[in-house]
Amino acid sequence: MELSRRVQRIQPSATLTINAKAGEMKSRGLDVISLAAGEPDFLPPDRVTDRAGKAVEGGHTRYTPVPGSPELRRAAANYFARFYGVQAEPENILVSNGGKQCLYNLCQALLDPGDEVLIPAPYWVSYPEMVRLADGEPVVLPTDPENDFLLQPEAIKEAVGPRTKALILNTPSNPTGCHYSQEQLDRVLEQALARDLYIISDEIYDQLVYPPARPASAAPWLASSPWRVAVVNGLSKSFALTGWRIGYVLAHEEIIQAMSKIQGQSTSNICTIAQEAAIAALEGSFDFLEHKRGMLSRRRDLALERISSWSGAVCPRPDGAFYLFPRLDAYYGGSVTDSTSMCTYLLEEAGVALVPGAAFGDDRCIRLSYALADEELDKALTRMGEALAKL
Ligand SMILES: Cc1ncc(COP(=O)(O)O)c(C=O)c1O
């Protein structure tokens, strides 16, 4: 049986693969600590789960309109007014199965075969594959830890060619945790919009930026460039609802309609019960996040302190999400020659599961998630330091 060329062109998700491997080792009784998770370790607020329970009891069990219930679309539109002062209408919102399906739908709606999409590296693992699934061509733009892995506006000028259609940005970033200030983001957007690029801004971690740093958004640019900006967000990370599959995208009404057409022929509306829970999340208080941000920034500091004692490591101090992306290539040599063999070594020698930087487009680094209890994090980093010292 010959599978399609499309499926043969893409890679499976590295993060999901590593998590499965660590889980399998744990189930064999091995002492493995996973720093590979891409999800928060806290619980959603009660009001969210309560509303889901009420939805079940109240018979919210039928189809809703494909782009989401009117109430949820309104709540998601209001999110942008509440946090970024952007007036949006429900017609500017599509609710999908996580930020992931929002991004997938965008690629399907915007790209024609051969269209190029600029993707700063390190990037979230799925961007290049989603572009490929839409028959587009990912064009990777490398960045450096010295610049907090942020795309420099000049890099756009050099990279744009006749087939360049879009730019995917992610702030704060998975895998680096680094974020753009509003000024930095605006400068990048100015360059990209001046070259008629379509901006896809993935802001799924925006609620996890640690004060005094503040999240930046491309949403305010929708007013002046309505045809050129889409902002992706969702409740997986901020409300710890990864399994509930709730994402939403803000864009021009006609782009929303185009994505809705695609979603209507593939998955239709997201789970009705999750939609009800999402309304409770978006319409209520976000104050509980203050505590979560405090907890995460403390863990970030703990992790950075350990990493600073590893003589060969370079790691920026990020202000968001829950990831660090240390550069460890100073340890390469012998049997550890790249980020994949480094992760294999650290899994076998230290019992710590990590994700190779190669999956994010930077083979010098590894990604670690600090969304786990302090003691476990501390133990894992101590064991990693000991293993690195043997190299
Ligand atoms: C940068 C980024 N964007 C999008 C997503 C998709 O999240 P979800 O589909 O759970 O909303 C993730 C999840 O790991 C992510 O890290």
Side-chain angles (χ1 to χ4, degrees):
M1 216 263 300
E2 183 82 6
L3 293 172
S4 72
R5 279 193 287 275
R6 181 179 309 109
V7 78
Q8 291 182 54
R9 266 201 311 270
I10 65 163
Q11 299 294 321
S13 164
T15 38
L16 299 183
T17 311
I18 294 271
N19 275 316
K21 188 170 176 191
E24 181 267 324
M25 285 175 75
K26 268 191 205 167
S27 70
R28 282 196 282 126
L30 296 173
D31 176 17
V32 174
I33 304 174
S34 178
L35 303 188
E39 55 192 340
D41 64 331
F42 52 84
L43 290 171
D46 287 347
R47 71 168 191 274
V48 175
T49 37
D50 289 352
R51 178 78 171 250
K54 287 205 182 81
V56 176
E57 288 158 18
H60 283 273
T61 48
R62 295 179 179 273
Y63 293 130
T64 69
V66 170
S69 71
E71 197 182 353
L72 176 53
R73 291 175 86 193
R74 165 65 65 198
N78 288 347
Y79 176 86
F80 293 99
R82 179 169 168 185
F83 289 98
Y84 298 108
V86 173
Q87 287 311 315
E89 298 303 322
E91 292 71 29
N92 297 116
I93 298 287
L94 169 80
V95 179
S96 292
N97 287 286
K100 206 169 215 174
Q101 196 187 11
C102 296
L103 291 157
Y104 181 84
N105 285 337
L106 274 168
C107 290
Q108 294 292 327
L110 294 174
L111 301 180
D112 278 318
D115 281 346
E116 291 178 359
V117 179
L118 305 183
I119 304 177
Y123 45 72
W124 182 48
V125 290
S126 296
Y127 300 147
E129 307 310 324
M130 285 186 187
V131 168
R132 286 190 187 101
L133 280 169
D135 296 327
E137 299 287 338
V139 174
V140 172
L141 307 180
T143 63
D144 278 303
E146 291 72 28
N147 293 324
D148 289 345
F149 293 111
L150 299 181
L151 182 68
Q152 303 305 302
E154 313 78 63
I156 296 175
K157 201 155 96 188
E158 284 160 29
V160 170
R163 292 304 310 262
T164 316
K165 180 91 177 258
L167 165 68
I168 304 183
L169 290 171
N170 176 211
T171 179
S173 150
N174 176 5
T176 69
C178 296
H179 80 291
Y180 291 83
S181 68
Q182 190 66 49
E183 269 184 353
Q184 287 169 321
L185 184 65
D186 287 347
R187 272 191 276 126
V188 170
L189 295 178
E190 249 163 42
Q191 282 287 342
L193 290 168
R195 282 162 182 78
D196 279 343
L197 299 191
Y198 197 90
I199 310 293
I200 298 174
S201 185
D202 179 354
E203 302 174 8
I204 194 123
Y205 295 93
D206 71 333
Q207 291 295 332
L208 301 180
V209 173
Y210 317 143
R214 290 160 57 83
S217 177
W221 287 81
L222 206 70
S224 54
S225 300
W227 278 100
R228 299 250 162 250
V229 179
V231 177
V232 173
N233 210 317
L235 301 182
S236 286
K237 315 295 174 170
S238 52
F239 278 78
L241 289 167
T242 44
W244 295 49
R245 313 309 301 131
I246 306 160
Y248 50 91
V249 50
L250 169 77
H252 189 283
E253 195 179 328
E254 287 182 36
I255 294 170
I256 295 294
Q257 283 165 9
M259 287 191 281
S260 216
K261 192 158 79 173
I262 292 163
Q263 189 164 303
Q265 297 293 17
S266 49
T267 59
S268 292
N269 62 273
I270 75 161
C271 166
T272 323
I273 298 154
Q275 290 194 54
E276 283 294 301
I279 295 165
L282 286 167
E283 287 186 343
S285 166
F286 280 56
D287 289 352
F288 76 102
L289 282 164
E290 219 173 289
H291 170 254
K292 306 303 174 206
R293 287 187 284 261
M295 180 182 77
L296 290 172
S297 65
R298 197 170 33 72
R299 289 181 188 159
R300 174 214 43 201
D301 292 342
L302 186 154
L304 281 174
E305 196 191 311
R306 291 283 173 287
I307 292 171
S308 67
S309 70
W310 307 345
S311 60
V314 181
C315 188
R317 184 173 187 277
D319 279 318
F322 35 75
Y323 306 109
L324 292 171
F325 200 59
R327 191 174 158 183
L328 296 182
D329 55 334
Y331 293 99
Y332 294 175
S335 62
V336 174
T337 52
D338 54 20
S339 63
T340 305
S341 49
M342 174 60 91
C343 287
T344 306
Y345 171 75
L346 290 171
L347 185 57
E348 285 167 2
E349 181 69 28
V352 179
L354 300 144
V355 190
F360 305 95
D362 194 331
D363 206 19
R364 301 169 296 179
C365 305
I366 55 120
R367 188 196 77 173
L368 65 87
S369 159
Y370 51 85
L372 75 166
D374 292 19
E375 314 78 62
E376 289 289 283
L377 179 62
D378 195 22
K379 193 155 88 178
L381 291 161
T382 305
R383 287 186 348 201
M384 283 172 73
E386 287 162 4
L388 288 171
K390 291 184 193 160
L391 288 174

